[in-house]
Each structure stands twice: as C-alpha cells, then as structure tokens.
Amino acid sequence: YTKALKKKDLKKLKVGVPVEFFAEGLDPEVEQAVRAAIQELKALGGEIKEIQLPRTDAAVAVYYVIATAEASSNLARYDGVKFGLRAKETKDLLELYMKTRQEGFGPEVKRRIMLGTYVLSAGYYDAYYGKAQAVRTLIRQDFESAFQDVDLIVTPVTPTPAFKFGAKSDDPLQMYLSDIFTISANLAGVPAISVPCGFSQAGLPIGLQLIGRPFEEETLLRSAYAYEQSTQWRTKKPAVR
C-alpha cells in the first residue's frame, strides 16, 4: 500500500459523482467544498463521470434496522455473568441481569438494543429485518453496477459541516441522518475513506468521502493521498472548538 502512494496523479482513473448525494438537504457550503474537491481530482488526471445510486434514500432506514438488530443480538452476552461489568448487591439472577445492563450501557446503546430487539421480535422479523436485508442487497447491487463504469466514487461525508460536540445529543434522529452519506458503503461492503476538503464560514470542517471497489484499497488510498497532498486542508485546524 505504501508503494502505491508514490504515484501522485489519478491519470486513467474514472471518478463517479452520484447525483443522489447532491440533492435537497445538502448544505450549500458542503456542496461548494466538495465540488471544488472534485475539480481538484479532475486536475490530478481523474475522469469525472456522473452516476446514479438510486437506493441511497433508503440507506438510513435499512442501516438502523440492521445495525440495531445486530447490536441487540451481539450485546445480549453482556449480562453480568460472562462478559463485562457486573452489578453489585443483587438479590437474584434476574436482578443481576437488569442492574448490570442498566448500569453498563449508555442511553444510545440502550436505544439501539431496544430498537433491535423490537425488529427481531416475533411478528416483526420479516416485516422489518427481513425487508431491510433485501433492500441492503439492492443497495449493494447499485454499487456493483456503478463500479462497472467507474473506479472510484466521491461524495460528501455529511450533509452539513461538522457540528459542535454535543450539539445534537438531544435529537437522535438528526444524529442518525448525519450518517446518510457514509452508511451506504457499510451496507454495500465496500471500502471508503474520508479526508478534509474545506471549512465552513464558521470555521467548521467539511469532509470528502472516497469509495472504492471491494478489495481495491490500493486505488482508494492512492487517490485519497494524491488529493490530500495536492491541497493544504490537512494542515489547517478548525477555527472553533
């Protein structure tokens, strides 16, 4: 991988720009920064091509069904007996389970466990988890189709510039929607990387996401490094804390 970084241009590399990632809801400052980054990739020799990933709008719903189901299943082992924290001064096994999980998990983890337990419960498994897995396959097929025409896909990292720490802690839905551009890669099983590409007028950072084909991390890392070295964003720090 380090040998691949020596090549500082993107000649003969086809770069896909999905139209769905530049739709309504994208902050103008983010779009401006990412569009400028795309032009920089073009200047490095990349061939820019508009593509479509039509199931992008389903990604958040699919991800938060599958991810919460997996959280519920995986975290069930942390019961105070086999793994992790054990609550003290409990009367019986049931109270040990309940107190351990109350004390050991934070609000977001508890929220995901409850959602995941619901979508995996009898009568809802097929309606939610089964359908989410089916749509996940369609999302993966969108990427497979796109990668027949391009070598790399570029998108924003989030719809807005970075927000201040804790700014959305009281609104989980807004937090989840911030993931809309990155979770598609997780669902499709493709490698991705984020690099700095600018700042908002308020001094908050903006990121560029590059997505590659499965097992083609070399192309992905080379492209990200070439962009990073051709700009100075990596050397700058946010103006606010």
Side-chain angles (χ1 to χ4, degrees), residues 25-31 33 156-164 168 178 198-207:
L26 180 63
D27 186 284
E29 290 185 299
V30 173
E31 181 169 3
V157 173
T158 57
T160 64
F163 46 84
K164 293 182 180 181
K168 297 186 180 182
S178 296
F199 291 91
S200 68
Q201 290 185 350
L204 295 165
I206 297 170

Side-chain angles (χ1 to χ4, degrees), residues 141-160:
Q141 289 173 352
D142 284 348
F143 277 88
E144 290 172 350
S145 177
F147 280 125
Q148 291 179 7
D149 297 323
V150 298
D151 305 300
L152 194 71
I153 295 173
V154 294
T155 77
V157 173
T158 57
T160 64

Side-chain angles (χ1 to χ4, degrees), residues 15-210:
V15 180
V17 180
V19 294
E20 291 81 6
F21 284 65
F22 293 87
E24 183 180 355
L26 180 63
D27 186 284
E29 290 185 299
V30 173
E31 181 169 3
Q32 182 179 1
V34 173
R35 295 283 188 191
I38 292 170
Q39 290 305 307
E40 184 64 29
L41 295 175
K42 184 177 181 180
L44 289 168
E47 179 186 336
I48 309 301
K49 183 176 182 179
E50 193 174 88
I51 62 170
Q52 291 184 323
L53 296 172
R55 277 98 176 191
T56 297
D57 60 346
V60 170
V62 170
Y63 178 83
Y64 280 103
V65 169
I66 295 175
T68 57
E70 291 178 350
S72 171
S73 176
N74 191 24
L75 296 177
R77 57 183 167 161
Y78 293 96
D79 56 10
V81 178
K82 299 185 288 293
F83 298 97
L85 175 82
R86 174 179 289 189
K88 298 178 180 178
E89 299 180 3
T90 56
K91 295 181 296 184
D92 52 33
L93 185 61
L94 178 60
E95 187 175 356
L96 171 65
Y97 286 164
M98 294 177 66
K99 282 192 172 182
T100 294
R101 293 173 72 77
Q102 287 172 6
E103 296 172 9
F105 294 133
E108 178 60 27
V109 177
K110 290 177 182 176
R111 187 180 297 115
R112 294 191 181 210
I113 289 172
M114 289 188 291
L115 286 169
T117 301
Y118 178 80
V119 301
L120 290 175
S121 60
Y124 296 103
Y125 182 97
D126 291 333
Y128 293 104
Y129 187 73
K131 286 185 178 179
Q133 289 286 21
V135 178
R136 177 189 191 174
T137 299
L138 296 176
I139 291 173
R140 185 175 69 247
Q141 289 173 352
D142 284 348
F143 277 88
E144 290 172 350
S145 177
F147 280 125
Q148 291 179 7
D149 297 323
V150 298
D151 305 300
L152 194 71
I153 295 173
V154 294
T155 77
V157 173
T158 57
T160 64
F163 46 84
K164 293 182 180 181
F165 184 77
K168 297 186 180 182
S169 298
D170 296 331
D171 192 344
L173 182 57
Q174 286 300 314
M175 286 285 288
Y176 294 168
L177 289 174
S178 296
D179 296 337
I180 188 169
F181 295 151
T182 53
I183 56 181
S184 294
N186 296 335
L187 293 169
V190 293
I193 188 171
S194 299
V195 293
C197 73
F199 291 91
S200 68
Q201 290 185 350
L204 295 165
I206 297 170
L208 175 73
Q209 178 179 225
L210 295 90

